[in-house]
Amino acid sequence: MKNMFRAAAAAAVTALALTACGGASSTDPSNVSPTGEIKAREISWLLSRPADGAVINIMKKLADDYAKDHPGFELNLITTPDRPSYIQKLETLAAANKLPELFDTDATPFAQQLAKQGKMVDAEKLLESLDIYDNYRPGALDYQRFDDGSLYMIPFQFELEFIWYNKALLEKAGVAVPTSLDDIPAMCTALRNAGITPIAIDGQDQWPLERYIAYQPFREAGPEFVQKLKKGEAKFSDPAGQKTVNWMAELGKAKCFQDGFSAQGYSDAQNQFTSGQAAMYNIGTWELPSLATDKLDPAVRNDIDFFTLPTTAGSVTGANEFVSPSGIGMAVNAKTYDPLVSDFLKFALEKYPAEYAATGALSPTTDVETVVPANATPLYQKALDQADGLGSMQAMPWDTQLDPTTNGRLQQELVLLVQGNITPEQFTETMDKTIAQNAPKFFK
């Protein structure tokens, strides 16, 4: 057993040295005893994930398994699922230079600043040093990258986002699945005229509505639009920006979303769709257990299907390119990265994919196959199959791209725009001014 510990320690020190080539971590082997054994201790992970979700449950189990051969080891999970509170906590700890060994973050401008300050381990070098980099789906890694292509976060998920729909409700309104984003406002009007709520949305959490404003620019100008917008190099007053602003206003005029949507939450939206009250619902494969198994009400089960993000005339992105997120990533604190952290990550990341795939979810790696639940409908496998043949571009959620102040203002203004409280011109002026004021703080 001691020889195994010594070998692990040696491998961990080697991994640290490899990663340090990128200037992002310490090679101080202070957690290796004079005999070459790794000294176990508690390490912490600052999380922004559902406390009872698969990621946390699996990592708890793997930490317990690791502790069996490393007495004294413990993974302390600091969970803050509420995203605004989490971001505030992350920023406070970062400012005080007190980030834990592991912490969650999207590829935001703030996270990129941390990377440039040398506070995050280069995840690409880390995964390569652990000999598991090539196992990951390119799309899962690309979602975590900064605009310059650098990778500082490790993905634990891989999801696909679709627009789910009720075939019977569309038939009742005399409408077909839209072939273009531009068809949706008229489709909403027809559904409303038939007494049907067109789209169920979680308005309370704001990010679902923000998904919609990202769609038209992604089709019109590709993923580069938001990359330029957040830096002030593109504007909402530009053609691609105006197209999405006017489209969002049209969605509002057509009453696409349920009445009072801004005060309704996640479960409200899901219930409206699964009970057959709403015709469409934009959500990802993390909801397959609710939408593609026998848990779904038999009265609507056979009427449920999905379509991927429609294209537009002259679209620069393809039908096989849409939102395919790998969730919030895990960053590794360069200051506290030592042989123990390296060895635990190697242990956990090698075993995690199989454990995660066993839950019926798409793994961020390609070396395991998803275990489809026994109670799944054919729609379950159909959804999983969409992971094959994805294009090279993906629509990035804007809440992971914009600086915190701009993102918060965008979410507020979007609700006002869709509700008809402000005009497209007012929205455009406010948001272009907000970006101009805040972009220089993050992009110099």
Side-chain angles (χ1 to χ4, degrees):
M1 185 68 71
K2 286 188 176 182
N3 289 336
M4 181 181 71
F5 285 172
R6 289 169 185 163
V13 172
T14 300
L16 285 167
L18 286 169
T19 308
C21 291
S25 70
S26 168
T27 57
D28 177 17
S30 58
N31 263 74
V32 180
S33 72
T35 59
E37 297 176 14
I38 294 176
K39 299 176 184 178
R41 71 174 198 283
E42 177 185 274
I43 68 173
S44 296
W45 183 4
L46 184 65
L47 294 150
S48 179
R49 306 172 192 265
D52 59 347
V55 175
I56 289 182
N57 288 335
I58 291 169
M59 289 300 285
K60 280 181 181 177
K61 175 183 179 296
L62 293 176
D64 290 343
D65 291 344
Y66 184 78
K68 291 175 184 177
D69 288 331
H70 298 78
F73 175 82
E74 186 174 348
L75 180 62
N76 176 33
L77 301 176
I78 308 169
T79 307
T80 310
D82 172 60
R83 189 59 63 94
S85 299
Y86 177 80
I87 292 173
Q88 184 177 17
K89 180 182 290 187
L90 175 66
E91 292 176 350
T92 300
L93 290 174
N97 204 27
K98 293 183 178 179
L99 287 168
E101 288 86 350
L102 311 171
F103 56 94
D104 282 355
T105 181
D106 289 304
T108 63
F110 177 77
Q112 190 162 21
Q113 283 190 339
L114 295 182
K116 288 179 178 179
Q117 293 165 6
K119 294 182 178 180
M120 296 161 65
V121 171
D122 185 319
E124 185 161 342
K125 288 186 173 66
L126 170 61
L127 294 176
E128 287 176 342
S129 72
L130 300 181
D131 199 27
I132 56 176
Y133 177 82
D134 290 337
N135 294 344
Y136 282 82
R137 299 176 189 269
L141 295 177
D142 289 346
Y143 181 82
Q144 305 294 337
R145 295 184 191 275
F146 295 124
D147 294 347
D148 62 3
S150 60
L151 179 68
Y152 283 84
M153 282 76 68
I154 300 169
F156 283 82
Q157 301 167 252
F158 187 66
E159 311 287 355
L160 307 172
E161 294 188 15
F162 310 128
I163 300 178
W164 300 78
Y165 71 99
N166 186 308
K167 292 180 284 188
L169 295 182
L170 263 62
E171 183 178 350
K172 179 181 176 182
V175 295
V177 171
T179 58
S180 168
L181 286 172
D182 299 327
D183 297 337
I184 294 180
M187 183 182 180
C188 290
T189 298
L191 286 162
R192 279 286 183 185
N193 290 340
I196 300 166
T197 297
I199 303 173
I201 190 170
D202 165 17
Q204 236 173 33
D205 290 316
Q206 299 183 311
W207 66 261
L209 185 62
E210 196 172 2
R211 284 290 199 272
Y212 283 84
I213 200 168
Y215 292 157
Q216 286 280 7
F218 178 68
R219 292 304 189 208
E220 180 81 5
E224 292 82 8
F225 180 79
V226 70
Q227 293 173 3
K228 294 178 179 178
L229 181 74
K230 66 185 179 184
K231 299 174 185 178
E233 297 171 359
K235 297 181 178 181
F236 278 104
S237 56
D238 294 342
Q242 282 298 279
K243 185 170 184 181
T244 196
V245 172
N246 290 326
W247 185 66
M248 293 301 295
E250 289 174 8
L251 294 181
K253 290 177 183 177
K255 297 184 178 179
C256 286
F257 306 113
Q258 75 266 30
D259 297 338
F261 73 88
S262 63
Q264 297 183 34
Y266 196 99
S267 59
D268 298 316
Q270 186 179 90
N271 290 338
Q272 284 210 353
F273 180 71
T274 56
S275 64
Q277 297 176 60
M280 292 178 286
Y281 181 43
N282 188 9
I283 207 71
T285 46
W286 60 87
E287 283 298 343
L288 281 174
S290 301
L291 299 172
T293 67
D294 62 11
K295 291 182 180 179
L296 190 61
D297 186 343
V300 299
R301 188 184 305 159
N302 293 332
D303 291 324
I304 301 302
D305 204 343
F306 66 84
F307 57 89
T308 58
L309 183 69
T311 56
T312 56
S315 177
V316 301
T317 53
N320 64 342
E321 294 170 326
F322 43 87
V323 185
S324 50
S326 52
I328 193 167
M330 182 190 74
V332 182
N333 187 345
K335 179 182 177 182
T336 58
Y337 185 48
D338 62 14
L340 176 67
V341 176
S342 175
D343 191 55
F344 170 67
L345 287 177
K346 180 175 178 60
F347 176 88
L349 294 177
E350 286 179 346
K351 296 179 180 298
Y352 175 86
E355 296 275 358
Y356 190 64
T359 68
L362 282 166
S363 170
T365 65
T366 57
D367 57 335
V368 294
E369 188 172 342
T370 301
V371 179
V372 178
N375 67 337
T377 67
L379 202 57
Y380 202 111
Q381 187 63 56
K382 178 184 174 182
L384 297 178
D385 289 344
Q386 299 298 309
D388 301 325
L390 287 174
S392 60
M393 292 186 284
Q394 55 182 306
M396 294 296 292
W398 284 16
D399 57 307
T400 69
Q401 300 296 294
L402 302 173
D403 70 80
T405 302
T406 297
N407 187 62
R409 189 59 184 268
L410 173 62
Q411 291 180 339
Q412 295 171 10
E413 296 297 311
L414 266 179
V415 173
L416 297 175
L417 177 64
V418 172
Q419 290 181 159
N421 301 120
I422 59 174
T423 66
E425 292 75 20
Q426 290 172 318
F427 176 93
T428 299
E429 182 180 357
T430 297
M431 289 313 307
D432 280 347
K433 185 181 297 184
T434 300
I435 293 170
Q437 290 173 344
N438 291 284
K441 300 175 185 176
F442 292 88
F443 305 100
K444 298 177 181 179

